[in-house]
């Protein structure tokens, strides 16, 4: 009975017209909006409604969380889920947004965190980090995409870098390709074209690869076409074909010899392409 009522509420929500302010926010946030086909556009709007209306939003530490901030974050979620089923973020229950980078009280490192996702359904984000990522849309750094990729990952039950794929036949090539590039990132960090934060574990690799898939599709397609193909099969998208408004697809290069000062974000830029073949 509860599931039936939930579906009824969702169906009613999806029939509601998109508020004009939301339409404008979509146009401002996604320069490629008019390039989307009808199904992608419908999926984008449907996921946006679900994220805005059926998830709990909390401003942490006294941070005033207005609609424009919620819209900005939800649009990024709708962007990556626009071709996925409407229950893609079923495991997600709430967003907790800080007005600054935050720290975890039990973290021995004690460094500032830009975002984290919890298996019980909460995504925590630093709003300044979100703004930084959105200010450089071709940098490969987007903490919103990163943490929501974790939510998709745990849909399978674990943070293990393998979300719930669409078909049983998808798992073998996914495992083979992802393991190949994950191992390479660990073994040859000096040649990395993906952010080295992805070498932490398989879950972080999937999240970093998702950021690259949406923000650096040309680079990912050139350097790792099979990885791009697996991500495209999962997200049911081909972002490479959408014209990009960025002046450059090259992420900013940081010094790989410096000590990391922050967690929850990319710390290094790309190096030389990996040569595995």
């Amino acid at each position: 009975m509860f599931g039936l009522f939930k579906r009824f509420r969702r169906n009613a929500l999806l029939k509601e017209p998109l508020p004009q302010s939301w339409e404008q926010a979509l146009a401002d946030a996604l320069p490629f909006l008019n390039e989307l086909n009808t199904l992608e556009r419908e999926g984008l709007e449907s996921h946006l409604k679900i994220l805005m209306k059926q998830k709990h939003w909390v401003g942490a530490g006294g941070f005033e969380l207005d609609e424009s901030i919620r819209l900005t974050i939800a649009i990024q979620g709708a962007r990556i889920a626009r071709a996925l089923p409407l229950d893609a973020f079923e495991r997600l229950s709430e967003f907790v947004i800080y007005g600054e980078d935050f720290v975890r009280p039990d973290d021995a490192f004690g460094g500032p965190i830009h975002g984290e996702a919890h298996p019980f359904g909460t995504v925590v984000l630093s709003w300044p980090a979100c703004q930084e990522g959105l200010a450089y849309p071709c940098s490969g750094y987007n903490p919103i995409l990163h943490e929501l990729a974790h939510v998709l990952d745990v849909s399978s039950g674990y943070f293990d870098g393998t979300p719930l794929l669409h078909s049983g036949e998808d798992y073998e090539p996914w495992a083979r390709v992802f393991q190949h590039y994950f191992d390479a990132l660990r073994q040859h960090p000096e040649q990395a074209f993906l952010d080295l934060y992805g070498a932490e574990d398989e879950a972080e690799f999937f999240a970093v690869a998702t950021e690259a898939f949406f923000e650096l599709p040309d680079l990912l397609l050139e350097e790792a076409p099979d990885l791009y193909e697996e991500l495209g099969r999962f997200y049911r998208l081909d972002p490479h074909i959408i014209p990009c408004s960025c002046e450059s697809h090259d992420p900013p290069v940081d010094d790989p010899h410096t000590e990391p000062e922050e967690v929850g974000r990319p710390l290094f830029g790309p190096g030389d392409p990996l040569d595995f073949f």
Side-chain angles (χ1 to χ4, degrees):
M1 180 63 70
F2 177 75
L4 183 63
F5 178 67
K6 187 174 183 178
R7 285 196 298 272
F8 175 80
R9 288 185 56 202
R10 176 166 292 180
N11 290 338
L13 171 64
L14 297 180
K15 291 178 182 177
E16 295 179 4
L18 204 68
Q20 186 174 357
S21 60
W22 294 17
E23 292 183 357
Q24 186 59 53
L26 278 170
D28 292 342
L30 306 177
F32 53 82
L33 187 63
N34 291 332
E35 303 291 336
L36 302 184
N37 61 44
T38 301
L39 289 178
E40 286 185 34
R41 180 62 182 260
E42 290 176 353
L44 181 77
E45 295 183 3
S46 294
H47 279 287
L48 180 60
K49 292 175 183 177
I50 292 169
L51 290 169
M52 287 292 288
K53 295 288 190 177
Q54 295 192 324
K55 308 301 178 184
H56 190 219
W57 293 80
V58 179
F63 181 57
E64 186 175 345
L65 191 59
D66 59 26
E67 183 180 74
S68 65
I69 294 174
R70 291 189 292 116
L71 260 177
T72 299
I73 294 170
I75 285 172
Q76 295 300 306
R79 171 190 177 189
I80 68 172
R82 63 184 186 264
L84 295 178
L86 294 179
D87 62 354
F89 290 125
E90 193 71 18
R91 293 286 292 258
L92 174 62
S93 58
E94 70 175 352
F95 289 93
V96 176
I97 314 300
Y98 282 86
E100 57 188 0
D101 294 344
F102 55 95
V103 296
R104 202 181 297 113
D106 59 348
D107 185 1
F109 175 72
I113 300 173
H114 288 188
E116 58 185 12
H118 297 273
F120 48 79
T122 297
V123 163
V124 187
L125 290 166
S126 155
W127 176 235
C130 294
Q131 290 178 298
E132 179 184 349
L134 295 173
Y136 302 97
C138 292
S139 68
Y141 167 59
N142 185 318
I144 307 171
L145 301 187
H146 187 102
E147 300 309 329
L148 289 177
H150 284 318
V151 174
L152 296 173
D153 184 9
V154 82
S155 65
S156 64
Y158 304 94
F159 288 117
D160 60 2
T162 302
L164 191 62
L165 303 180
H166 304 298
S167 167
E169 298 177 352
D170 294 339
Y171 286 92
E172 188 280 327
W174 178 281
R176 173 171 43 80
V177 170
F178 270 75
Q179 191 67 53
H180 173 76
Y181 286 102
F182 175 64
D183 290 344
L185 188 62
R186 284 190 154 189
Q187 295 166 10
H188 303 284
E190 74 284 355
Q191 298 179 11
F193 59 88
L194 288 175
D195 189 273
L196 290 186
Y197 193 61
E200 290 288 312
D201 54 41
E202 289 85 348
E204 295 300 344
F205 183 84
F206 170 61
V208 164
T210 290
E211 290 177 277
F213 180 70
F214 285 97
E215 297 223 320
L216 298 166
D218 293 342
L219 175 66
L220 188 62
L221 182 61
E222 178 182 354
E223 303 292 352
D226 45 353
L227 181 59
Y228 181 94
E229 180 181 355
E230 291 304 316
L231 287 163
R233 182 179 293 115
F234 170 66
Y235 285 109
R236 294 173 169 169
L237 294 171
D238 187 4
H240 169 70
I241 66 174
I242 298 176
C244 179
S245 60
C246 299
E247 293 182 1
S248 172
H249 280 265
D250 297 328
V253 177
D254 297 323
D255 184 356
H257 303 294
T258 58
E259 290 295 324
E261 297 181 353
E262 302 180 62
V263 289
R265 60 164 296 171
L267 300 172
F268 304 99
D272 296 327
L274 288 168
D275 182 13
F276 301 129
F277 307 103

